[in-house]
Amino acid sequence: MNQGNPLTHAWWKDHSDAHQQRVLLSTQRAVQRERNIAGWRRNLVLGAFLVLAVPTILQWVAAL
């Protein structure tokens, strides 16, 4: 009679094969690289917006 949960397993055995570990690591690095690129792109767009917006706002404040 098995009283344990049949769905539980040893999590450390999921990717014990060296090839699987390399593939998983490569995939994780690719995902992280895409996230970093998206973050830099977002920062660049925000910076460009601020470069254009700040002088305009300063002119409006000076005109008051």
Side-chain angles (χ1 to χ4, degrees):
M1 181 186 248
N2 187 1
Q3 294 180 358
N5 186 352
L7 298 177
T8 60
H9 61 280
W11 58 267
W12 61 89
K13 294 181 182 177
D14 282 348
H15 301 286
S16 60
D17 182 27
H19 177 69
Q20 287 180 343
Q21 287 179 346
R22 284 192 300 271
V23 170
L24 179 63
L25 183 60
S26 174
T27 303
Q28 289 174 339
R29 285 180 177 167
V31 168
Q32 187 62 41
R33 190 171 28 254
E34 289 297 321
R35 287 180 182 165
N36 288 343
I37 290 170
W40 280 107
R41 190 179 307 123
R42 182 179 55 245
N43 290 343
L44 183 62
V45 169
L46 180 61
F49 174 75
L50 289 175
V51 164
L52 296 174
V54 169
T56 305
I57 293 173
L58 290 176
Q59 286 177 355
W60 289 349
V61 170
L64 292 177

